[in-house]
Amino acid sequence: MTANALKHKARKRFGQNFLHDPNIIQRIIQSIAVTDKQHIVEIGPGKGALTEYLVQLCAKLDVIELDRDLIPILEQQFEHCNNFQIHNADALQFDFSVLSQNNKLRLVGNLPYNISTPLIFHLLENISIIHDMHFMLQKEVVERLTACPGTKIYGRLSILVQYLCHAEQLFIVHPGAFSPAPKIDSAIIQLTPRTHTASLVNATLDNLSFVARSAFSQRRKTLRNNLKTILTPEQIMQCDIDPARRAETLNIDEFVKLTNQYAKINSDI
Ligand code: SAM
């Protein structure tokens, strides 16, 4: 760590919990398994805990960091690396398509917790240019994103992410691995874009989000009840789904069928 890095004070509003446990850093790097031809994009490099290893392993590393006080620290540390580029920008507003030329991007980051969910949705909008994603998130968020039907935490977030990606929790990281230590456990999630068994037809991700939000609006109630303003019981049955079921029992493909039905009915109006 440089003298400058020591001077930087972690800011809560940027979600700054810097990794300092070498074993965890190594475990994350091994999980990403970078090869020398790959283009990596790191979101929130901070003081370079992961960057230091990534830059040595890949063909090209772009990092996106919002905190301008960290930029000179990163510049000083990595200016000798000709495969390295810093973008002092907000990842939530960043146009990731400008980075993808021929190769799909591998996205990596110990994400600021306060923006992790909107950021993942921003990235899902660019799924066609993404090879995969490895992120550190709050453990609770990882559990929701990877949840299976029939569980209490399965919901709109699980459906939207799992429609586009295979989502897997890799391992848990305890607060002591960070400085300052957060109050909660974190976990590493791997998101790999998937090919669909059922696809949205003339329907958007926003439609899927809306149908899922409606279906889960009152968790204990049936689809007949929760969807009554958008689909009739007959229209639900046309999707081979019993309107007496509850949202948490439906798999992703069934949500896709309901969304296609909803989009079709609304386009007919
Ligand atoms: N990667 C470093 C590490 O593991 O030690 C830092 C991780 S820290 C949890 C999150 C990092 O994301 C910080 O460096 C913070 O300044 C940066 N950050 C916060 N909001 C951001 C945003 N909207 N866009 C890009 N970077 C952001």
Side-chain angles (χ1 to χ4, degrees):
M1 197 185 285
T2 65
N4 271 343
L6 288 170
K7 269 189 234 154
H8 181 272
K9 195 169 173 315
R11 288 198 186 89
K12 215 171 176 174
R13 74 187 161 100
F14 289 138
Q16 290 176 342
N17 299 97
F18 298 111
L19 269 170
H20 70 111
D21 180 329
N23 295 325
I24 295 293
I25 293 170
Q26 278 315 315
R27 216 169 150 196
I28 296 171
I29 297 294
Q30 277 163 17
S31 304
I32 302 167
V34 181
T35 67
D36 59 3
K37 296 211 167 45
Q38 291 176 331
H39 186 172
I40 306 285
V41 179
E42 186 186 4
I43 300 172
K47 295 189 242 174
L50 299 171
T51 323
E52 179 185 346
Y53 297 94
L54 294 170
V55 76
Q56 293 173 43
L57 297 168
C58 67
K60 172 118 186 66
L61 177 64
D62 283 280
V63 301
I64 302 164
E65 174 56 62
L66 180 60
D67 181 356
R68 62 166 186 253
D69 292 348
L70 286 169
I71 303 302
I73 294 169
L74 291 163
E75 280 170 350
Q76 184 180 330
Q77 207 176 344
F78 300 110
E79 66 192 349
H80 61 282
C81 306
N82 54 17
N83 60 343
F84 177 77
Q85 191 169 353
I86 305 179
H87 307 265
N88 183 198
D90 181 349
L92 283 172
Q93 310 291 332
F94 195 81
D95 178 5
F96 286 83
S97 67
V98 299
L99 300 181
S100 149
Q101 276 120 34
N102 298 325
N103 293 341
K104 288 195 177 186
L105 306 173
R106 301 198 69 198
L107 299 175
V108 174
N110 169 14
L111 297 186
Y113 292 151
N114 48 346
I115 62 155
S116 58
T117 310
L119 182 57
I120 288 179
F121 283 110
H122 177 52
L123 295 171
L124 291 178
E125 285 163 11
N126 293 284
I127 199 77
S128 62
I129 57 162
I130 293 175
H131 176 77
D132 65 6
M133 306 181 249
H134 288 79
F135 293 134
M136 173 104 71
L137 307 173
Q138 283 180 45
K139 177 170 152 273
E140 191 206 320
V141 174
V142 169
E143 286 170 350
R144 280 202 283 144
L145 296 182
T146 56
C148 300
T151 59
K152 282 201 180 117
I153 49 174
Y154 179 67
R156 190 181 68 95
L157 282 186
S158 337
I159 291 157
L160 288 174
V161 166
Q162 292 176 39
Y163 170 63
L164 291 173
C165 296
H166 174 71
E168 192 180 341
Q169 175 176 311
L170 297 187
F171 56 91
I172 291 169
V173 181
H174 296 296
F178 305 88
S179 172
K183 292 196 173 64
I184 40 161
D185 279 341
S186 307
I188 301 288
I189 190 168
Q190 179 185 52
L191 298 167
T192 316
R194 71 179 191 115
T195 47
H196 309 119
T197 45
S199 291
L200 292 173
V201 182
N202 300 325
T204 61
L205 269 189
D206 280 345
N207 294 149
L208 178 61
S209 174
F210 174 68
V211 170
R213 191 192 293 279
S214 309
F216 280 101
S217 55
Q218 298 189 74
R219 253 193 122 83
R220 306 293 304 164
K221 295 211 165 161
T222 62
L223 296 173
R224 181 198 312 273
N225 232 294
N226 284 340
L227 297 181
K228 68 177 173 230
T229 57
I230 61 172
L231 290 172
T232 64
E234 291 69 33
Q235 289 164 342
I236 297 173
M237 279 190 290
Q238 283 164 10
C239 302
D240 294 323
I241 296 169
D242 182 349
R245 285 171 64 186
R246 291 206 302 254
E248 68 189 29
T249 69
L250 267 61
N251 63 30
I252 312 283
D253 289 356
E254 289 175 316
F255 272 103
V256 169
K257 281 191 203 170
L258 288 178
T259 305
N260 286 339
Q261 176 80 310
Y262 164 77
K264 181 171 171 288
I265 286 156
N266 280 282
S267 72
D268 290 347
I269 293 169

